[in-house]
Amino acid sequence: MGQGALPAKQGLYDPRNEHDACGVGFVADIKGRKSHKIVEQGLEILERLVHRGAVGADPRAGDGAGILIQLPDAFFRAVVDFDLPAAGAYAVGHLFLPRDDAARAETQSVVERFITGEGQQLIGWRDVPVDNSGLGYSVKPTEPVNRQVFVGCGAGCSSQDAFERKLFVIRKQIEKVIRESRLDGRESFYFTSISSRTITYKGMLLSDQVGTYYQDLNDERMVSALALVHQRFSTNTFPTWDLAHPFRMIAHNGEINTLRGNVNWMAARKHAMASEILGDDLDKVWPLIPEGQSDSACFDNALELLVQGGYSLAHAMMMLIPEAWSGNPLMDERRRAFYEYHAALMEPWDGPAAVAFTDGRQIGATLDRNGLRPARYLITDEGLVLMASEMGVLDIPQEKIVKKWRLQPGKMFLIDTEQGRIIDDVELKEQLASSKPYAEWLKQSQIRLEDLPEVVGAMSPDPATLLDAQQAFGYTQEAVKFLLTPMVLTGQEATGSMGADNPPAVLSARAKHLSNYFKQNFAQVTNPPIDPIREEIVMSLISLIGPRPNLLGLESGGANMRLEVHQPVLTNADLERIRNIED
């Protein structure tokens, strides 16, 4: 929630410019059989991903590591001194709290107030036993107090899904109140998780410290059918306790390069969004994405909203990280219609990214459409699935392995522990693409620029008028001679020397072209150059113009008209076509 140990914005440093690249993995029993061995294997994967984490000058200080597992019911019944309802009818919230006694008491009272205020039952608190003897000297001053709150399902929740939604709404309100308070130590407050299905143990730890710091994880009663683990490498980031992964639904390797636009679009949707499922509770979850979070934390917030708003886990992931659809002539038409319809609902969160995700029942992973992050998986004859940034993270005899493969760009790998099977990418997407009449909805709402009647465009202006316009809009002789003319004559980008010594538009004394003020910031590390001509298989310049549909209107398809243009530069003839659109 808070930025913890992040410095304030100063000079050329801005905490918003933070990116990370890490090690991620999970192990799961396809049939949903819970055991302590799965937790042990998760911790073993973590230890073997140690080379993917970062270490500072303090050799015992890491960027963060953690593990997400299913809620171990028998364990909690054994360690608390109060009665718990049936499994699924109570939730456990794991919290980081301020070290100051008064501040901690104040934050706990806020937590209790919202739990009871939203009609749920406060059952009790538990201190989480930790062993901080292995923490580095630079980590101990920022170590929070770890406590767990137990919440009983209120009478107003008709199902476990309704209970999960209510927990989501409670958490968002608590976070907002504490973030806006003047409480000392408020930046230490954070929910690692609050759920009736999953729990996350994480922190500013090295990968081999997770199992020793959190003593719960070594208890034989700590059982799960899945374990999602993560070792963080924040390439130009200050590590903090709350920014360690896994988050509440995902663990992520890579960067979200479109982050600023994604976050702004989510904020802009606030007044256009309504949900039959969340109802009036939707107003309580804003701001959906608080300031100062990492790209992965923002992505997790967006995924949570979609899942709590009624989308299935796989459907939400396909909206946030779609496969390349516009330049793929081999794609099934129904699947293309699915992606094209959702392009107006949700802009892609573009990587390079490998994301592992779970809701406690299903667990899976996906790569973005460029596939620039490694992820491999194997399946054993005993029904164990292992996915990680690389193989060799668990010692599994070769004769037990029935399949080895890698995640492919845009493809989804999904295990459903309730159904006890792996759901194939083709089956999953076929099922979702045919669940609603997406092609019909597109037909009702979509106007393609190239399908509009041909018209006569305005004549090119005379040279004097053109020169006036070019000067007014910040074109230079250099741009016309060295950039535009070669593009017009050869259809190619002009080549030039490396490095540009001209100042950023906002600092320049000269008038600059409007587009120079709007630049997408890409991460400084590991990203190959990309352009929409050479990379048209995976890149699209399609722009959608018109009112944005309601993101959570699952049944309201085809109600919003939209104009679709295949690239953002409009000619005079294009503008005339749009002017005559009503005809």
Side-chain angles (χ1 to χ4, degrees):
M1 185 188 116
Q3 290 177 29
L6 288 188
K9 182 178 175 181
Q10 53 190 298
L12 293 175
Y13 173 75
D14 189 329
R16 290 182 306 179
N17 303 330
E18 304 276 13
H19 310 280
D20 46 334
C22 337
V24 63
F26 68 74
V27 60
D29 186 295
I30 298 172
K31 300 296 181 191
R33 295 166 295 207
K34 297 184 180 186
S35 68
H36 182 59
K37 189 174 183 193
I38 294 279
V39 180
E40 288 178 333
Q41 287 174 318
L43 293 172
E44 190 177 338
I45 293 170
L46 206 45
E47 287 181 27
R48 293 192 179 182
L49 288 173
V50 68
H51 61 282
R52 285 189 166 266
V55 178
D58 173 1
R60 300 308 292 159
D63 278 356
I67 183 169
L68 182 159
I69 58 172
Q70 291 174 325
L71 204 66
D73 179 56
F75 169 78
F76 283 124
R77 287 183 192 284
V79 296
V80 296
D81 54 5
F82 39 78
D83 291 332
L84 291 173
Y90 74 92
V92 181
H94 189 123
L95 290 111
F96 294 156
L97 295 167
R99 298 208 69 80
D100 177 73
D101 291 342
R104 188 163 67 254
E106 179 66 29
T107 54
Q108 286 188 196
S109 73
V110 173
V111 171
E112 292 174 3
R113 187 172 87 231
F114 278 102
I115 288 170
T116 52
E118 288 289 339
Q120 308 309 299
Q121 182 190 350
L122 176 74
I123 303 174
W125 289 86
R126 170 182 181 250
D127 287 309
V128 180
V130 297
D131 175 5
N132 68 359
S133 58
L135 293 186
Y137 65 84
S138 64
V139 178
K140 279 185 181 171
T142 65
E143 182 193 7
V145 171
N146 278 271
R147 296 203 81 196
Q148 288 165 344
V149 64
F150 290 75
V151 183
C153 182
C157 293
S158 56
S159 65
Q160 195 175 359
D161 284 346
F163 184 35
E164 286 289 312
R165 280 195 293 275
K166 192 52 84 172
L167 294 166
F168 168 64
V169 171
I170 288 169
R171 194 194 86 230
K172 297 302 274 188
Q173 292 178 93
I174 294 168
E175 288 173 346
K176 181 175 189 284
V177 165
I178 291 177
R179 191 170 53 247
E180 292 176 355
S181 73
R182 297 189 176 278
L183 214 61
D184 277 344
R186 65 184 179 278
E187 62 283 343
S188 300
F189 178 88
Y190 180 76
F191 270 104
T192 71
S193 59
I194 179 166
S195 171
S196 61
R197 293 188 174 118
T198 60
I199 188 162
T200 302
Y201 287 87
K202 70 175 188 178
M204 203 166 130
L205 307 163
L206 291 168
S207 62
D208 60 352
Q209 291 175 333
V210 178
T212 50
Y213 182 77
Y214 288 113
Q215 294 163 4
D216 286 359
L217 296 170
N218 302 311
D219 194 300
E220 289 292 326
R221 296 163 298 192
M222 182 65 79
V223 297
S224 177
L226 55 87
L228 173 60
V229 298
H230 189 275
Q231 162 70 59
R232 187 162 185 242
F233 188 116
S234 45
T235 38
N236 22 348
T237 324
F238 287 87
T240 60
W241 282 79
D242 55 316
L243 293 183
H245 302 216
F247 289 99
R248 289 167 280 262
M249 295 190 84
I250 66 136
H252 165 246
N253 171 24
E255 303 103 16
I256 304 290
N257 272 315
T258 52
L259 182 68
R260 188 182 298 175
N262 293 136
V263 171
N264 289 345
W265 273 120
M266 289 303 288
R269 286 189 170 94
K270 178 175 179 178
H271 300 293
M273 215 189 287
S275 169
E276 286 182 19
I277 294 171
L278 285 166
D280 293 341
D281 279 352
L282 182 61
D283 293 334
K284 300 173 183 174
V285 305
W286 299 94
L288 184 73
I289 300 175
E291 276 288 312
Q293 296 192 119
S294 66
D295 52 357
S296 319
C298 296
F299 183 91
D300 188 67
N301 290 154
L303 178 62
E304 270 186 320
L305 175 74
L306 294 178
V307 171
Q308 302 303 348
Y311 291 99
S312 70
L313 183 60
H315 191 157
M317 285 300 300
M318 284 166 66
M319 288 169 69
L320 293 165
I321 305 181
E323 61 184 310
W325 56 270
S326 68
N328 183 357
L330 303 176
M331 183 177 282
D332 172 72
E333 285 305 317
R334 276 192 300 190
R335 194 193 292 191
R336 187 199 310 282
F338 171 89
Y339 283 120
E340 196 166 352
Y341 172 76
H342 284 98
L345 277 179
M346 171 59 69
E347 56 291 335
W349 291 60
D350 253 345
V355 183
F357 53 88
T358 183
D359 62 359
R361 296 167 297 179
Q362 293 182 330
I363 187 165
T366 192
L367 286 189
D368 71 297
R369 56 184 178 239
N370 292 296
L372 298 175
R373 284 289 176 271
R376 304 191 70 83
Y377 67 88
L378 61 78
I379 303 162
T380 73
D381 55 6
E382 293 172 341
L384 191 77
V385 175
L386 165 66
M387 193 289 297
S389 303
E390 59 250 76
M391 281 293 104
V393 288
L394 284 182
D395 295 321
I396 294 175
Q398 289 296 323
E399 65 272 11
K400 286 187 174 295
I401 298 171
V402 294
K403 183 177 181 182
K404 267 187 184 176
W405 195 224
R406 63 181 175 85
L407 284 187
Q408 294 167 280
K411 295 279 192 287
M412 192 171 288
F413 179 57
L414 188 70
I415 298 111
D416 190 313
T417 61
E418 289 187 343
Q419 291 185 35
R421 69 190 185 99
I422 294 172
I423 303 176
D424 181 64
D425 178 81
V426 174
E427 178 197 344
L428 175 72
K429 289 174 178 172
E430 171 63 31
Q431 184 189 342
L432 280 170
S434 53
S435 63
K436 298 270 193 311
Y438 293 114
E440 281 300 309
W441 287 355
L442 276 178
K443 215 175 280 181
Q444 292 167 26
S445 60
Q446 181 185 45
I447 302 166
R448 279 201 181 93
L449 179 63
E450 57 267 31
D451 295 342
L452 292 175
E454 287 283 351
V455 291
V456 178
M459 295 290 289
S460 296
D462 63 89
T465 309
L466 178 62
L467 183 62
D468 280 350
Q470 285 175 331
Q471 287 175 329
F473 284 93
Y475 284 88
T476 60
Q477 288 184 356
E478 182 184 39
V480 173
K481 185 176 176 183
F482 295 113
L483 297 176
L484 296 176
T485 306
M487 286 170 76
V488 172
L489 295 177
T490 64
Q492 289 183 323
E493 228 175 320
T495 52
S497 63
M498 281 288 286
D501 58 358
N502 40 335
V506 73
L507 298 177
S508 176
R510 296 170 179 271
K512 293 284 183 177
H513 186 253
L514 185 67
S515 66
N516 287 1
Y517 291 88
F518 299 91
K519 298 274 188 186
Q520 174 61 56
N521 290 349
F522 282 87
Q524 295 94 311
V525 289
T526 65
N527 293 337
I530 193 165
D531 78 63
I533 298 171
R534 297 179 190 89
E535 311 278 348
E536 67 178 340
I537 295 171
V538 291
M539 269 197 86
S540 165
L541 290 179
I542 285 176
S543 299
L544 299 167
I545 302 158
R548 294 225 149 193
N550 174 16
L551 180 61
L552 299 180
L554 279 74
E555 305 295 332
S556 61
N560 287 77
M561 297 301 286
R562 65 197 203 165
L563 176 66
E564 204 167 292
V565 292
H566 67 279
Q567 50 94 1
V569 180
L570 298 177
T571 64
N572 286 339
D574 290 337
L575 281 171
E576 285 304 317
R577 281 172 154 184
I578 294 170
R579 279 199 186 98
N580 298 325
I581 202 162
E582 286 185 38
D583 303 337

